[in-house]
Amino acid sequence: MPELPEVETIRQTLEPALANQRVDRVVVRNGAVLKVSPRQLRSSMVGARIRGLDRRGKYLIFRFSDFSVVFHLGMTGQLTLRDPSKSDASGFFRHEATGLQQSRQHPPDRHTHLRVFLEDGLVLQFRDVRKFGKVFLVPQGERGLAEFFSKLGLEPFSGQFRLPAFLEKLTGRRAFVKAVLLDQSVVAGVGNIYADEALFVAGIHPARRIHHVRMWEKEALFGAIELVLEKGIRFGGTTFRDYIDSDGKRGRHQEELFVYGRQGQACRRCGSELQKIVVGQRGTHFCPMCQPRSGRKRSDHFEWKGSRIPERGKERN
DNA sequence: AACCTTCCCTGATGGC
DNA sequence: TGCCATCAGGGAAGGT
């Protein structure tokens, strides 16, 4: 599922191809994913120029002069470019850990709900098998966007992502720490993969209640969130990279995951068998040794340097 | 207000 | 081989 690092990767790879291009034509196949009428979307976009691509949490923002078109990719949403003058790739590839389908340049099919034709001939295609994705038309630049995102939580890598603000968001809450991480009004952009990864890095059992998590653990969690998101972006996210790049390079993040999708395999840090449980209706992966239910002792806490995994016995810094 | 459950949707998977 | 039940999961909605 596209989370912050995947959406950021998409943003980075799409922006150079789309910035300052004029929209020539908009074709809607299935309006189910649109939170605006096809007619209104067309009349706004056609003839207008894409000024740039921004991101907020898991939302991708196409900024025009007088409005923005905002995408949420849901579970299976894809935004891809197709050059009709080049031959299409055949078939789809399925990512083992995330289940996300990815494709190289592909012809529109019954899941391709929206196509945006650009002045240089490229076509931006929105494809979403499960239709959990959404497309919004947000009026008038900053004011509209500020209102649109008013309930969204702290934005990682921004000036607002600071420890005191994070702690403030946690006060008064008693839910599972995993559920709190998935709550987009706390930290924007963390989904199931990166929640599990962050809890592993912080050494916190996902089914502990947030109000029982110690202050030093919350501090570790704060740092862990930024660490795993940064790492996800650095490895190009888990999915969309290679069909956007023409050289076919694959993202490598799936090979770097600590716990997500690795149940039954050995913990990269201690070698224990990783487990999968259900927490708050979500599949949850963790290491029973590194993330004990009762919490780690502070003296056993370890600092992470970058994304390197501290080895056992060498974990104190 | 915070929390929990249900629902949306479709392809993959497993049992028989 | 075919058929059906089950599962995955982000976020909105509705109930407590």
Side-chain angles (χ1 to χ4, degrees), chain A residues 240-275:
Chain A
F240 289 90
R241 186 193 181 112
D242 57 355
Y243 68 87
I244 289 171
D245 292 352
S246 54
D247 60 7
K249 261 192 213 161
R250 292 181 60 102
R252 295 192 295 118
H253 187 247
Q254 60 275 12
E255 296 152 26
E256 303 290 328
L257 291 168
F258 297 131
V259 289
Y260 188 86
R262 298 193 65 239
Q263 63 272 22
Q265 300 180 44
C267 172
R268 296 192 194 281
R269 192 180 145 262
C270 77
S272 300
E273 186 176 323
L274 299 176
Q275 295 186 3

Side-chain angles (χ1 to χ4, degrees), chain A residues 118-275:
Chain A
L118 301 156
E119 63 178 325
D120 74 346
L122 283 180
V123 185
L124 176 70
Q125 302 191 143
F126 179 56
R127 180 176 184 269
D128 184 9
V129 170
R130 292 190 193 168
K131 300 192 184 77
F132 282 8
K134 294 177 175 64
V135 184
F136 306 87
L137 181 66
V138 181
Q140 206 50 29
E142 281 306 312
R143 295 187 66 172
L145 287 175
E147 166 68 21
F148 184 81
F149 293 121
S150 63
K151 294 195 176 78
L152 212 52
L154 305 176
E155 183 64 38
F157 311 114
S158 79
Q160 67 173 205
F161 194 71
R162 306 215 297 122
L163 181 62
F166 178 66
L167 297 175
E168 171 69 25
K169 290 279 188 185
L170 305 182
T171 58
R173 308 197 57 150
R174 312 172 74 85
F176 296 127
V177 60
K178 165 82 183 254
V180 173
L181 280 187
L182 292 178
D183 185 337
Q184 298 301 294
S185 72
V186 177
V187 176
V190 177
N192 213 27
I193 295 174
Y194 295 94
D196 285 0
E197 296 290 292
L199 287 168
F200 171 77
V201 169
I204 300 171
H205 190 289
R208 287 174 62 198
R209 296 277 170 179
I210 186 67
H211 62 294
H212 290 148
V213 173
R214 304 281 170 220
M215 177 58 68
W216 64 268
E217 293 178 304
K218 291 176 185 169
E219 291 173 11
L221 182 57
F222 177 75
I225 292 166
E226 202 158 49
L227 185 148
V228 299
L229 292 177
E230 184 278 325
K231 176 167 162 274
I233 295 171
R234 182 151 40 83
F235 286 100
T238 49
T239 48
F240 289 90
R241 186 193 181 112
D242 57 355
Y243 68 87
I244 289 171
D245 292 352
S246 54
D247 60 7
K249 261 192 213 161
R250 292 181 60 102
R252 295 192 295 118
H253 187 247
Q254 60 275 12
E255 296 152 26
E256 303 290 328
L257 291 168
F258 297 131
V259 289
Y260 188 86
R262 298 193 65 239
Q263 63 272 22
Q265 300 180 44
C267 172
R268 296 192 194 281
R269 192 180 145 262
C270 77
S272 300
E273 186 176 323
L274 299 176
Q275 295 186 3

Side-chain angles (χ1 to χ4, degrees), chain A residues 110-123:
Chain A
R110 67 197 197 92
H111 302 298
T112 307
H113 309 304
L114 176 68
R115 282 181 293 161
V116 179
F117 292 74
L118 301 156
E119 63 178 325
D120 74 346
L122 283 180
V123 185

Side-chain angles (χ1 to χ4, degrees), chain A residues 16 42 71 78 80-81 85 92 95 103 108-109 117 121 155 158 175-176 191 201 222 226 280 282 288 308 317:
Chain A
R42 270 197 303 270
F71 286 83
Q78 307 170 329
T80 65
L81 286 175
S85 70
F92 292 93
H95 189 274
S103 71
D109 62 6
F117 292 74
E155 183 64 38
S158 79
F176 296 127
V201 169
F222 177 75
E226 202 158 49
R282 291 287 177 263
R308 193 182 64 82
N317 291 285

